Amino acid sequence: MANILAINTKQERVKIDRNIYGHFAEHLGRCIYEGVWVGEGSAIPNTRGIRSDVVNALRKINIPVIRWPGGCFADEYHWKDGIGNPANRKRMVNTHWGGVVEDNSFGTHEFLDLCAQLDCEPYINGNVGSGEVAEMQEWVEYMTFKGESPMANLRRQNGRDEPWAVKYFGIGNENWGCGGNMRAEYYADVYRRYATYVRNFDDNKIYRIASGPGTEYGHEKLNHCWTRTMMENARHMFDGLALHYYTCIGTWQEKGSATDFTEADYYKTLRNALWLDEVIKQHSAIIERFDPEKRIKIIFDEWGTWYDVEPGTNPGFLYQQNTMRDALVAAASLHIFNSHADVVHMANIAQLVNVLQAVILTDGAKMLLTPTYHVFNMFKDHQDAELLESHQLCGTAGEVVPLLSHSATQKEDGAVTLTVCNFSADKEAEVSLSLLGGHMSVRNAEILSGGTSSHNTFGSPQTVRPVDFTGFRIDEHNKTGTQMTLNLPACSVVKMTVK
Ligand code: AHR
């Protein structure tokens, strides 16, 4: 079967919110501690305790937003433990993740400093499961109130005069599970109570995010109830509903190895990743029934692959390697989010460093960029661009998933970014590309490819990295546009800029 991609460069559909390229950093394993925070006294180069190599790498991919401090950790976190003189900060047990000591050396000031160093928005997740209403109210006051008040004065005492701008605030996390095991009806009421006290101080307008359902491959109907109940009972008090979806190979009990997998596992992983489209379609249909104006958006604040931990590592630390298979999951997921940009306002891959589908792995002073990092770097031109009308016609890969996945967007200067994946584990895909709307030439083109399990290690950190892509030829320019042929190697992601 011929593979065809047609893009209409004169037909814009919707602007893609840059927040779709967001991240998530939890106090879990070596994400915050070592991955981001090494402390000012560390031999690893840092700025005010935040490691410089990680910041420099993350700045390159234009991170728009980071969610913190969890996750399940958020509903055990008491923010006052993480402010003031570090020597006096309370030490606690991180009961959810490995039972290790949390010394609270990374707290509110340090997180907001990280966001300033990255020039990105903070998204703070408050504690509903084990925290008090007043505690949440005071946190918002501490961070965002300019005037004279107990919390604003405490912030000043701790060395920060001006308030921070904090737009995104989550009111609980997975409150059907680790965030308190609540029923939907109960959480809807609790949510209303907490949200009442999450105030807008001065000109800081908070975008309130309610905990949504967890979702699972093939079981979407089970989760409809949570979304419907929240929409019925609390929709007037939130702007975004948080959804979570993780891609496993098998069941939660048998997730499989991150690097040692069969071709059948590879296709199963991709099939499960593509279920994300169904999750968004089904939940946005429920949301729209109650909110036809589409004021309420989906905040997909946890997504990514979840495998067994690397052998020999703490099972509570969720440390996994990252291969070309993950690169394709990332690319396919970002394509799906782009295609639903009218309803998805933000998405946050789990997690930033050393946990689950991380863009960066560290080992002491060493750092490497994963294949997923390279996808975020190749896709950054989609941020805030207009999604173009496009269609694909293709065969299947492994008789399980469509052969291709793609997005095409346009920036104000007219440059079109096309990203396209060939999911086949072993076959090149020839694609006939029609760019309707004018005479276009290729400005740059790069490719990330390899075997399905190719990955970077600390001994060989450049095994998987983008290189120039030359597998295209212009067949014809005519009145209607430009016709090209692309030859996409097996298991690859290609980015082309044309103008
Ligand atoms: O990302 C790891 C965990 O997965 C988060 O803490 C939780 O919200 C989800 O179950």
PDB file of all heavy atoms in Angstrom, residues 24 26 28 67 70-74 96-97 173-174 176 178 244 246 252 302 306 318 350-351 355-356, ligand 1:
ATOM      1  N   PHE A  24       7.483  17.040  34.562  1.00  0.00           N
ATOM      2  CA  PHE A  24       7.016  16.723  35.906  1.00  0.00           C
ATOM      3  C   PHE A  24       8.224  16.279  36.733  1.00  0.00           C
ATOM      4  O   PHE A  24       8.986  15.406  36.290  1.00  0.00           O
ATOM      5  CB  PHE A  24       5.965  15.607  35.780  1.00  0.00           C
ATOM      6  CG  PHE A  24       5.546  14.939  37.055  1.00  0.00           C
ATOM      7  CD1 PHE A  24       5.393  15.641  38.237  1.00  0.00           C
ATOM      8  CD2 PHE A  24       5.265  13.572  37.066  1.00  0.00           C
ATOM      9  CE1 PHE A  24       4.984  15.014  39.410  1.00  0.00           C
ATOM     10  CE2 PHE A  24       4.850  12.927  38.224  1.00  0.00           C
ATOM     11  CZ  PHE A  24       4.717  13.654  39.401  1.00  0.00           C
ATOM     12  N   GLU A  26       9.191  15.033  40.620  1.00  0.00           N
ATOM     13  CA  GLU A  26       8.671  14.642  41.937  1.00  0.00           C
ATOM     14  C   GLU A  26       9.832  14.333  42.879  1.00  0.00           C
ATOM     15  O   GLU A  26      10.938  13.976  42.439  1.00  0.00           O
ATOM     16  CB  GLU A  26       7.780  13.394  41.755  1.00  0.00           C
ATOM     17  CG  GLU A  26       7.158  12.902  43.044  1.00  0.00           C
ATOM     18  CD  GLU A  26       6.023  11.896  42.821  1.00  0.00           C
ATOM     19  OE1 GLU A  26       5.837  11.429  41.682  1.00  0.00           O
ATOM     20  OE2 GLU A  26       5.326  11.596  43.809  1.00  0.00           O
ATOM     21  N   LEU A  28      11.097  11.851  44.210  1.00  0.00           N
ATOM     22  CA  LEU A  28      11.003  10.408  43.966  1.00  0.00           C
ATOM     23  C   LEU A  28      12.357   9.938  43.453  1.00  0.00           C
ATOM     24  O   LEU A  28      12.864  10.488  42.465  1.00  0.00           O
ATOM     25  CB  LEU A  28       9.904  10.167  42.912  1.00  0.00           C
ATOM     26  CG  LEU A  28       9.345   8.776  42.653  1.00  0.00           C
ATOM     27  CD1 LEU A  28       8.249   8.809  41.603  1.00  0.00           C
ATOM     28  CD2 LEU A  28      10.343   7.714  42.353  1.00  0.00           C
ATOM     29  N   ARG A  67       5.841  20.614  36.719  1.00  0.00           N
ATOM     30  CA  ARG A  67       4.939  20.303  37.844  1.00  0.00           C
ATOM     31  C   ARG A  67       5.769  19.739  38.998  1.00  0.00           C
ATOM     32  O   ARG A  67       6.646  18.893  38.796  1.00  0.00           O
ATOM     33  CB  ARG A  67       3.914  19.266  37.373  1.00  0.00           C
ATOM     34  CG  ARG A  67       3.013  18.736  38.463  1.00  0.00           C
ATOM     35  CD  ARG A  67       1.985  17.804  37.835  1.00  0.00           C
ATOM     36  NE  ARG A  67       1.069  17.281  38.811  1.00  0.00           N
ATOM     37  CZ  ARG A  67       0.898  15.983  39.074  1.00  0.00           C
ATOM     38  NH1 ARG A  67       1.613  15.077  38.427  1.00  0.00           N
ATOM     39  NH2 ARG A  67       0.028  15.600  39.965  1.00  0.00           N
ATOM     40  N   GLY A  70       4.869  16.587  43.434  1.00  0.00           N
ATOM     41  CA  GLY A  70       4.390  15.245  43.091  1.00  0.00           C
ATOM     42  C   GLY A  70       3.109  15.447  42.338  1.00  0.00           C
ATOM     43  O   GLY A  70       2.700  16.592  42.120  1.00  0.00           O
ATOM     44  N   GLY A  71       2.524  14.348  41.950  1.00  0.00           N
ATOM     45  CA  GLY A  71       2.644  12.968  42.291  1.00  0.00           C
ATOM     46  C   GLY A  71       2.132  12.635  43.715  1.00  0.00           C
ATOM     47  O   GLY A  71       1.623  13.460  44.452  1.00  0.00           O
ATOM     48  N   CYS A  72       2.264  11.346  43.968  1.00  0.00           N
ATOM     49  CA  CYS A  72       1.842  10.838  45.278  1.00  0.00           C
ATOM     50  C   CYS A  72       2.543  11.589  46.406  1.00  0.00           C
ATOM     51  O   CYS A  72       1.978  11.748  47.489  1.00  0.00           O
ATOM     52  CB  CYS A  72       2.137   9.344  45.378  1.00  0.00           C
ATOM     53  SG  CYS A  72       1.139   8.379  44.223  1.00  0.00           S
ATOM     54  N   PHE A  73       3.768  12.060  46.165  1.00  0.00           N
ATOM     55  CA  PHE A  73       4.488  12.786  47.214  1.00  0.00           C
ATOM     56  C   PHE A  73       3.740  14.066  47.599  1.00  0.00           C
ATOM     57  O   PHE A  73       3.791  14.499  48.757  1.00  0.00           O
ATOM     58  CB  PHE A  73       5.909  13.121  46.732  1.00  0.00           C
ATOM     59  CG  PHE A  73       6.751  13.820  47.763  1.00  0.00           C
ATOM     60  CD1 PHE A  73       7.340  13.096  48.796  1.00  0.00           C
ATOM     61  CD2 PHE A  73       6.942  15.195  47.716  1.00  0.00           C
ATOM     62  CE1 PHE A  73       8.104  13.751  49.770  1.00  0.00           C
ATOM     63  CE2 PHE A  73       7.710  15.846  48.672  1.00  0.00           C
ATOM     64  CZ  PHE A  73       8.292  15.116  49.700  1.00  0.00           C
ATOM     65  N   ALA A  74       3.041  14.665  46.646  1.00  0.00           N
ATOM     66  CA  ALA A  74       2.373  15.956  46.900  1.00  0.00           C
ATOM     67  C   ALA A  74       1.388  15.844  48.055  1.00  0.00           C
ATOM     68  O   ALA A  74       1.245  16.779  48.851  1.00  0.00           O
ATOM     69  CB  ALA A  74       1.654  16.435  45.639  1.00  0.00           C
ATOM     70  N   HIS A  96       6.140   6.948  50.435  1.00  0.00           N
ATOM     71  CA  HIS A  96       5.639   6.410  49.177  1.00  0.00           C
ATOM     72  C   HIS A  96       6.755   5.890  48.273  1.00  0.00           C
ATOM     73  O   HIS A  96       6.582   4.924  47.538  1.00  0.00           O
ATOM     74  CB  HIS A  96       4.825   7.476  48.442  1.00  0.00           C
ATOM     75  CG  HIS A  96       3.744   6.855  47.650  1.00  0.00           C
ATOM     76  ND1 HIS A  96       2.490   6.642  48.148  1.00  0.00           N
ATOM     77  CD2 HIS A  96       3.755   6.330  46.420  1.00  0.00           C
ATOM     78  CE1 HIS A  96       1.769   6.025  47.247  1.00  0.00           C
ATOM     79  NE2 HIS A  96       2.507   5.829  46.184  1.00  0.00           N
ATOM     80  N   TRP A  97       7.897   6.562  48.329  1.00  0.00           N
ATOM     81  CA  TRP A  97       8.948   6.246  47.356  1.00  0.00           C
ATOM     82  C   TRP A  97      10.234   5.801  48.043  1.00  0.00           C
ATOM     83  O   TRP A  97      11.119   6.606  48.302  1.00  0.00           O
ATOM     84  CB  TRP A  97       9.203   7.442  46.439  1.00  0.00           C
ATOM     85  CG  TRP A  97       7.977   7.866  45.693  1.00  0.00           C
ATOM     86  CD1 TRP A  97       7.348   9.073  45.759  1.00  0.00           C
ATOM     87  CD2 TRP A  97       7.209   7.074  44.763  1.00  0.00           C
ATOM     88  NE1 TRP A  97       6.245   9.093  44.941  1.00  0.00           N
ATOM     89  CE2 TRP A  97       6.140   7.870  44.313  1.00  0.00           C
ATOM     90  CE3 TRP A  97       7.322   5.776  44.265  1.00  0.00           C
ATOM     91  CZ2 TRP A  97       5.187   7.407  43.397  1.00  0.00           C
ATOM     92  CZ3 TRP A  97       6.366   5.312  43.362  1.00  0.00           C
ATOM     93  CH2 TRP A  97       5.331   6.126  42.940  1.00  0.00           C
ATOM     94  N   ASN A 173      -3.731  15.181  44.086  1.00  0.00           N
ATOM     95  CA  ASN A 173      -3.219  14.319  43.009  1.00  0.00           C
ATOM     96  C   ASN A 173      -3.774  12.913  43.190  1.00  0.00           C
ATOM     97  O   ASN A 173      -3.752  12.379  44.303  1.00  0.00           O
ATOM     98  CB  ASN A 173      -1.685  14.255  43.083  1.00  0.00           C
ATOM     99  CG  ASN A 173      -1.117  13.131  42.212  1.00  0.00           C
ATOM    100  OD1 ASN A 173      -1.131  13.219  40.973  1.00  0.00           O
ATOM    101  ND2 ASN A 173      -0.644  12.059  42.833  1.00  0.00           N
ATOM    102  N   GLU A 174      -4.272  12.334  42.124  1.00  0.00           N
ATOM    103  CA  GLU A 174      -4.786  10.951  42.170  1.00  0.00           C
ATOM    104  C   GLU A 174      -5.538  10.714  43.479  1.00  0.00           C
ATOM    105  O   GLU A 174      -5.231   9.782  44.232  1.00  0.00           O
ATOM    106  CB  GLU A 174      -3.653   9.936  41.977  1.00  0.00           C
ATOM    107  CG  GLU A 174      -3.032  10.040  40.599  1.00  0.00           C
ATOM    108  CD  GLU A 174      -2.135   8.864  40.194  1.00  0.00           C
ATOM    109  OE1 GLU A 174      -1.856   7.990  41.038  1.00  0.00           O
ATOM    110  OE2 GLU A 174      -1.729   8.827  39.018  1.00  0.00           O
ATOM    111  N   TRP A 176      -8.264   9.474  44.023  1.00  0.00           N
ATOM    112  CA  TRP A 176      -8.938   8.172  44.017  1.00  0.00           C
ATOM    113  C   TRP A 176      -7.997   7.080  44.519  1.00  0.00           C
ATOM    114  O   TRP A 176      -8.401   5.955  44.772  1.00  0.00           O
ATOM    115  CB  TRP A 176      -9.420   7.817  42.606  1.00  0.00           C
ATOM    116  CG  TRP A 176      -8.405   8.175  41.558  1.00  0.00           C
ATOM    117  CD1 TRP A 176      -8.347   9.350  40.853  1.00  0.00           C
ATOM    118  CD2 TRP A 176      -7.262   7.403  41.142  1.00  0.00           C
ATOM    119  NE1 TRP A 176      -7.243   9.346  40.023  1.00  0.00           N
ATOM    120  CE2 TRP A 176      -6.567   8.163  40.175  1.00  0.00           C
ATOM    121  CE3 TRP A 176      -6.769   6.150  41.478  1.00  0.00           C
ATOM    122  CZ2 TRP A 176      -5.405   7.712  39.553  1.00  0.00           C
ATOM    123  CZ3 TRP A 176      -5.611   5.692  40.859  1.00  0.00           C
ATOM    124  CH2 TRP A 176      -4.940   6.485  39.901  1.00  0.00           C
ATOM    125  N   CYS A 178      -3.475   7.189  45.758  1.00  0.00           N
ATOM    126  CA  CYS A 178      -2.512   7.611  46.791  1.00  0.00           C
ATOM    127  C   CYS A 178      -2.869   8.944  47.440  1.00  0.00           C
ATOM    128  O   CYS A 178      -2.407   9.249  48.531  1.00  0.00           O
ATOM    129  CB  CYS A 178      -1.099   7.661  46.211  1.00  0.00           C
ATOM    130  SG  CYS A 178      -0.891   8.873  44.885  1.00  0.00           S
ATOM    131  N   HIS A 244      -4.117  11.174  33.847  1.00  0.00           N
ATOM    132  CA  HIS A 244      -2.851  10.435  33.852  1.00  0.00           C
ATOM    133  C   HIS A 244      -2.993   9.190  32.985  1.00  0.00           C
ATOM    134  O   HIS A 244      -4.019   8.523  33.037  1.00  0.00           O
ATOM    135  CB  HIS A 244      -2.485   9.981  35.279  1.00  0.00           C
ATOM    136  CG  HIS A 244      -2.193  11.112  36.216  1.00  0.00           C
ATOM    137  ND1 HIS A 244      -1.958  10.941  37.552  1.00  0.00           N
ATOM    138  CD2 HIS A 244      -2.084  12.450  35.991  1.00  0.00           C
ATOM    139  CE1 HIS A 244      -1.725  12.103  38.116  1.00  0.00           C
ATOM    140  NE2 HIS A 244      -1.800  13.053  37.196  1.00  0.00           N
ATOM    141  N   TYR A 246      -0.232   5.987  31.769  1.00  0.00           N
ATOM    142  CA  TYR A 246       1.098   5.409  31.601  1.00  0.00           C
ATOM    143  C   TYR A 246       1.047   4.255  30.604  1.00  0.00           C
ATOM    144  O   TYR A 246       0.075   3.502  30.570  1.00  0.00           O
ATOM    145  CB  TYR A 246       1.642   4.913  32.942  1.00  0.00           C
ATOM    146  CG  TYR A 246       2.105   6.054  33.829  1.00  0.00           C
ATOM    147  CD1 TYR A 246       1.318   6.521  34.880  1.00  0.00           C
ATOM    148  CD2 TYR A 246       3.320   6.678  33.599  1.00  0.00           C
ATOM    149  CE1 TYR A 246       1.739   7.577  35.679  1.00  0.00           C
ATOM    150  CE2 TYR A 246       3.757   7.744  34.391  1.00  0.00           C
ATOM    151  CZ  TYR A 246       2.962   8.182  35.424  1.00  0.00           C
ATOM    152  OH  TYR A 246       3.389   9.229  36.199  1.00  0.00           O
ATOM    153  N   TRP A 252       0.287  -4.110  35.311  1.00  0.00           N
ATOM    154  CA  TRP A 252       1.058  -3.381  36.323  1.00  0.00           C
ATOM    155  C   TRP A 252       1.979  -4.326  37.091  1.00  0.00           C
ATOM    156  O   TRP A 252       3.000  -3.917  37.606  1.00  0.00           O
ATOM    157  CB  TRP A 252       0.119  -2.651  37.300  1.00  0.00           C
ATOM    158  CG  TRP A 252      -0.420  -1.418  36.680  1.00  0.00           C
ATOM    159  CD1 TRP A 252      -1.663  -1.233  36.181  1.00  0.00           C
ATOM    160  CD2 TRP A 252       0.295  -0.194  36.451  1.00  0.00           C
ATOM    161  NE1 TRP A 252      -1.781   0.036  35.661  1.00  0.00           N
ATOM    162  CE2 TRP A 252      -0.593   0.692  35.825  1.00  0.00           C
ATOM    163  CE3 TRP A 252       1.598   0.241  36.729  1.00  0.00           C
ATOM    164  CZ2 TRP A 252      -0.234   1.989  35.461  1.00  0.00           C
ATOM    165  CZ3 TRP A 252       1.952   1.529  36.369  1.00  0.00           C
ATOM    166  CH2 TRP A 252       1.057   2.380  35.736  1.00  0.00           C
ATOM    167  N   GLU A 302       0.538  13.651  33.832  1.00  0.00           N
ATOM    168  CA  GLU A 302       1.459  12.506  33.945  1.00  0.00           C
ATOM    169  C   GLU A 302       1.240  11.596  32.741  1.00  0.00           C
ATOM    170  O   GLU A 302       0.119  11.123  32.509  1.00  0.00           O
ATOM    171  CB  GLU A 302       1.230  11.713  35.239  1.00  0.00           C
ATOM    172  CG  GLU A 302       1.639  12.478  36.480  1.00  0.00           C
ATOM    173  CD  GLU A 302       1.558  11.665  37.773  1.00  0.00           C
ATOM    174  OE1 GLU A 302       1.771  10.428  37.725  1.00  0.00           O
ATOM    175  OE2 GLU A 302       1.279  12.268  38.812  1.00  0.00           O
ATOM    176  N   TRP A 306       6.336   3.121  31.558  1.00  0.00           N
ATOM    177  CA  TRP A 306       6.617   2.640  32.923  1.00  0.00           C
ATOM    178  C   TRP A 306       6.996   1.167  32.812  1.00  0.00           C
ATOM    179  O   TRP A 306       6.163   0.332  32.492  1.00  0.00           O
ATOM    180  CB  TRP A 306       5.373   2.834  33.791  1.00  0.00           C
ATOM    181  CG  TRP A 306       5.582   2.661  35.268  1.00  0.00           C
ATOM    182  CD1 TRP A 306       6.375   1.744  35.890  1.00  0.00           C
ATOM    183  CD2 TRP A 306       4.971   3.432  36.315  1.00  0.00           C
ATOM    184  NE1 TRP A 306       6.294   1.890  37.249  1.00  0.00           N
ATOM    185  CE2 TRP A 306       5.435   2.921  37.544  1.00  0.00           C
ATOM    186  CE3 TRP A 306       4.058   4.497  36.340  1.00  0.00           C
ATOM    187  CZ2 TRP A 306       5.026   3.429  38.783  1.00  0.00           C
ATOM    188  CZ3 TRP A 306       3.645   5.005  37.561  1.00  0.00           C
ATOM    189  CH2 TRP A 306       4.132   4.479  38.771  1.00  0.00           C
ATOM    190  N   LEU A 318      11.999   3.884  40.759  1.00  0.00           N
ATOM    191  CA  LEU A 318      11.480   3.933  39.383  1.00  0.00           C
ATOM    192  C   LEU A 318      12.503   4.422  38.351  1.00  0.00           C
ATOM    193  O   LEU A 318      12.184   5.239  37.469  1.00  0.00           O
ATOM    194  CB  LEU A 318      10.212   4.807  39.310  1.00  0.00           C
ATOM    195  CG  LEU A 318       9.094   4.530  40.325  1.00  0.00           C
ATOM    196  CD1 LEU A 318       7.860   5.378  40.000  1.00  0.00           C
ATOM    197  CD2 LEU A 318       8.706   3.063  40.368  1.00  0.00           C
ATOM    198  N   ALA A 350       6.387  12.156  32.571  1.00  0.00           N
ATOM    199  CA  ALA A 350       6.895  11.665  33.850  1.00  0.00           C
ATOM    200  C   ALA A 350       8.143  10.812  33.583  1.00  0.00           C
ATOM    201  O   ALA A 350       8.035   9.813  32.879  1.00  0.00           O
ATOM    202  CB  ALA A 350       5.830  10.835  34.558  1.00  0.00           C
ATOM    203  N   GLN A 351       9.234  11.258  34.177  1.00  0.00           N
ATOM    204  CA  GLN A 351       9.525  12.475  34.899  1.00  0.00           C
ATOM    205  C   GLN A 351      10.831  13.078  34.385  1.00  0.00           C
ATOM    206  O   GLN A 351      11.527  12.432  33.617  1.00  0.00           O
ATOM    207  CB  GLN A 351       9.629  12.184  36.379  1.00  0.00           C
ATOM    208  CG  GLN A 351       8.318  11.675  36.988  1.00  0.00           C
ATOM    209  CD  GLN A 351       8.301  11.699  38.509  1.00  0.00           C
ATOM    210  OE1 GLN A 351       9.208  12.222  39.126  1.00  0.00           O
ATOM    211  NE2 GLN A 351       7.271  11.113  39.106  1.00  0.00           N
ATOM    212  N   VAL A 355      13.825   9.249  36.523  1.00  0.00           N
ATOM    213  CA  VAL A 355      12.618   8.531  36.934  1.00  0.00           C
ATOM    214  C   VAL A 355      11.729   8.301  35.715  1.00  0.00           C
ATOM    215  O   VAL A 355      11.460   9.230  34.943  1.00  0.00           O
ATOM    216  CB  VAL A 355      11.841   9.322  38.020  1.00  0.00           C
ATOM    217  CG1 VAL A 355      10.467   8.723  38.281  1.00  0.00           C
ATOM    218  CG2 VAL A 355      12.638   9.369  39.326  1.00  0.00           C
ATOM    219  N   LEU A 356      11.272   7.033  35.541  1.00  0.00           N
ATOM    220  CA  LEU A 356      10.381   6.664  34.430  1.00  0.00           C
ATOM    221  C   LEU A 356      10.946   7.161  33.098  1.00  0.00           C
ATOM    222  O   LEU A 356      12.126   6.997  32.840  1.00  0.00           O
ATOM    223  CB  LEU A 356       8.947   7.135  34.723  1.00  0.00           C
ATOM    224  CG  LEU A 356       8.333   6.503  35.997  1.00  0.00           C
ATOM    225  CD1 LEU A 356       6.939   7.079  36.277  1.00  0.00           C
ATOM    226  CD2 LEU A 356       8.237   4.990  35.902  1.00  0.00           C
TER     227      LEU A 356
HETATM  228  O1  AHR B   1       4.979   9.284  38.451  1.00  0.00           O
HETATM  229  C1  AHR B   1       4.958   8.327  39.449  1.00  0.00           C
HETATM  230  C2  AHR B   1       3.628   8.247  40.175  1.00  0.00           C
HETATM  231  O2  AHR B   1       2.635   7.792  39.307  1.00  0.00           O
HETATM  232  C3  AHR B   1       3.066   9.544  40.702  1.00  0.00           C
HETATM  233  O3  AHR B   1       3.612   9.894  41.931  1.00  0.00           O
HETATM  234  C4  AHR B   1       1.612   9.242  40.831  1.00  0.00           C
HETATM  235  O4  AHR B   1       0.806  10.388  40.708  1.00  0.00           O
HETATM  236  C5  AHR B   1       1.364   8.219  39.739  1.00  0.00           C
HETATM  237  O5  AHR B   1       0.664   7.120  40.200  1.00  0.00           O
END
